[in-house]
């Protein structure tokens, strides 16, 4: 899916990428089948507002949006192991999509759901068309249906006119949702966007201070979750060698956490159960494959040495 019709006041995408356009479902499913035939195990559906895929082109069926229909169609692709998507818009994130996570085994338990601000006043200025309370209710529903769901987000700090109170509201919402991670951006003017012309542009020092403060909150939340993950066994898809140590490989959990394990080239592209043995900063984990039989003698030895 390309383009976007949402017109958030800070964003240049509708001007640069044009209106929403969606490829036919069958074409996407066929492309995924071809990728799987080449050995691909995981696909990520992309779109600026991916959950609104096909809303102008294709009908709802069986009470499912075109996007949710696409997810169910991909679930049927033999050999495909994991399905992800990014990024949904809170508007249009409905019951059918929440339910899909409880019914589709291949749909990974991670949603990147842009919040942008926790202040409803600022959300209005951003033309985000949902309130902070609606966002909170949505994340509650998502986690009630799927308690292991990892939630990440995008947040802009220092939007024109953002008061300390608005910022603190964002901070509070971040804590309430307990995000697994967040991309935090200092607002910067994009020429040609409505927000660029707004009064009360904030000084860089204020944006920077809010950025750092929010990063510290996210780090703290991530560490708290990392502590709980230690000792657990999770499934990872092995993606490639670690940049710093060729005897180690990185993989990704279904919740999109990076895990480093001792492995070899033959493990590339494999789904392995691993036990989390350590973590560094709440975002990077170390693990050992839970099934020692999957490892060569040398690797099993390396695991034993680290324990
Ligand atoms: S921020 Fe996202 S939803 Fe808003 S206009 Fe840009 S691409 Fe569209």
């Amino acid at each position: 899916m390309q383009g976007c019709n949402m017109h958030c006041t800070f964003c240049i995408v509708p001007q640069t990428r044009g209106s929403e356009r969606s490829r036919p479902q069958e074409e996407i499913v066929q492309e995924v089948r071809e990728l799987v035939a080449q050995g691909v195990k995981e696909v990520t559906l992309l779109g600026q507002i991916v959950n609104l895929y096909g809303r102008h082109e294709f009908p709802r069926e069986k009470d499912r949006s075109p996007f949710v229909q696409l997810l169910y169609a991909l679930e049927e692709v033999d050999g495909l192991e994991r399905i992800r998507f990014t990024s949904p818009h809170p508007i249009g994130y409905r019951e059918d999509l929440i339910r899909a996570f409880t019914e589709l085994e291949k749909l990974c338990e991670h949603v990147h759901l842009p919040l942008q601000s926790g202040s409803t006043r600022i959300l209005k200025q951003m033309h985000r068309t949902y309130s902070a309370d609606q966002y909170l209710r949505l994340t509650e529903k998502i986690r009630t249906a799927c308690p292991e769901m990892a939630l990440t987000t995008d947040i802009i700090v220092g939007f024109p006119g953002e008061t300390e109170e608005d910022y603190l509201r964002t901070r509070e919402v971040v804590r309430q949702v307990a995000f697994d991670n967040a991309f935090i951006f200092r607002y910067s003017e994009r020429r040609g966007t409505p927000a660029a012309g707004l009064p009360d542009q904030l000084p860089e020092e204020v944006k920077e201070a809010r950025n750092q403060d929010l990063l510290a909150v996210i780090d703290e939340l991530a560490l708290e979750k990392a502590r709980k993950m230690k000792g657990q066994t999770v499934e990872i898809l092995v993606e490639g060698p670690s940049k710093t140590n060729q005897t180690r490989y990185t993989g990704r959990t279904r919740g999109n956490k990076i895990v480093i394990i001792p492995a070899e080239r033959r493990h590339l592209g494999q789904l392995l159960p691993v036990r989390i043995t350590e973590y560094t900063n709440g975002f990077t984990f170390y693990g050992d494959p839970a099934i020692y039989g999957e490892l060569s003698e040398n690797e099993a030895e390396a695991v034993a040495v680290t324990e």
Side-chain angles (χ1 to χ4, degrees):
M1 178 185 188
Q2 292 186 321
C4 183
N5 293 3
M6 299 304 275
H7 298 287
C8 303
T9 57
F10 53 81
C11 181
I12 197 76
V13 164
Q15 279 115 294
T16 55
R17 306 259 173 95
S19 308
E20 290 166 37
R21 285 132 19 236
S22 299
R23 296 168 61 198
Q25 176 182 306
E26 194 40 53
E27 191 181 306
I28 299 170
V29 173
Q30 184 53 31
E31 188 182 334
V32 170
R33 279 198 202 105
E34 285 164 17
L35 289 168
V36 169
Q38 292 164 29
V40 167
K41 299 225 168 104
E42 176 181 306
V43 292
T44 302
L45 302 171
L46 291 178
Q48 307 291 344
I49 41 176
V50 71
N51 54 321
L52 298 174
Y53 159 85
R55 64 174 168 158
H56 302 301
E57 293 100 332
F58 316 120
R60 281 182 79 82
E61 272 174 19
K62 296 188 201 157
D63 209 21
R64 288 176 189 156
S65 70
F67 179 64
V68 174
Q69 291 168 42
L70 175 60
L71 294 175
Y72 278 78
L74 290 176
E75 175 82 5
E76 299 301 318
V77 174
D78 285 339
L80 181 66
E81 302 279 359
R82 289 177 165 192
I83 304 166
R84 299 184 187 276
F85 59 85
T86 195
S87 295
H89 193 293
I91 290 298
Y93 200 118
R94 303 235 166 84
E95 296 294 336
D96 55 345
L97 182 49
I98 293 172
R99 200 176 328 115
F101 280 95
T102 66
E103 295 180 350
L104 302 180
E105 285 181 9
K106 297 176 183 176
L107 192 54
C108 291
E109 297 81 11
H110 169 227
V111 172
H112 183 79
L113 189 64
L115 166 66
Q116 306 301 7
S117 173
S119 158
T120 299
R121 194 183 75 82
I122 294 295
L123 286 170
K124 267 194 194 137
Q125 301 280 317
M126 291 175 162
H127 194 237
R128 286 294 289 177
T129 61
Y130 52 87
S131 68
D133 281 347
Q134 283 171 324
Y135 185 97
L136 279 169
R137 276 201 296 278
L138 175 58
T139 53
E140 271 167 31
K141 277 189 189 171
I142 291 172
R143 283 232 176 93
T144 302
C146 183
E148 64 274 34
M149 183 70 81
L151 282 171
T152 56
T153 196
D154 294 330
I155 293 170
I156 297 173
V157 290
F159 188 79
E162 183 188 72
T163 62
E164 188 63 14
E165 199 186 335
D166 290 319
Y167 169 67
L168 290 175
R169 185 69 192 121
T170 297
R171 202 176 192 274
E172 201 180 308
V173 172
V174 165
R175 280 201 180 282
Q176 262 175 279
V177 178
F179 287 109
D180 291 71
N181 202 352
F183 295 109
I184 301 166
F185 303 92
R186 291 186 303 255
Y187 172 76
S188 72
E189 268 184 48
R190 292 276 176 279
R191 207 165 346 134
T193 59
L198 288 176
D200 301 326
Q201 301 282 334
L202 268 64
E204 284 306 314
E205 312 85 78
V206 174
K207 294 181 199 171
E208 178 61 15
R210 290 177 185 172
N211 190 356
Q212 292 306 322
D213 181 66
L214 207 51
L215 280 173
V217 174
I218 294 290
D219 285 351
E220 187 194 318
L221 291 168
L223 265 179
E224 224 167 272
K225 286 178 192 245
R227 269 183 222 117
K228 289 182 190 151
M229 262 185 85
K230 188 171 171 179
Q232 281 184 21
T233 297
V234 294
E235 176 200 89
I236 65 163
L237 177 63
V238 182
E239 292 184 345
S242 143
K243 285 185 194 116
T244 51
N245 182 342
Q246 292 295 300
T247 66
R248 292 182 178 270
Y249 275 64
T250 61
R252 208 171 282 264
T253 67
R254 288 176 63 94
N256 214 32
K257 306 268 193 319
I258 300 285
V259 183
I260 298 170
I261 58 162
E264 292 178 342
R265 192 169 166 71
R266 69 190 169 91
H267 293 113
L268 207 59
Q270 282 192 23
L271 290 164
L272 291 181
V274 301
R275 190 165 59 85
I276 301 297
T277 54
E278 207 39 87
Y279 52 89
T280 47
N281 49 14
F283 305 109
T284 307
F285 296 80
Y286 293 89
D288 66 60
I291 300 173
Y292 270 48
E294 279 293 326
L295 296 179
S296 67
E297 242 171 60
N298 285 350
E299 290 167 320
E301 219 170 83
V303 171
V305 168
T306 58
E307 284 182 336

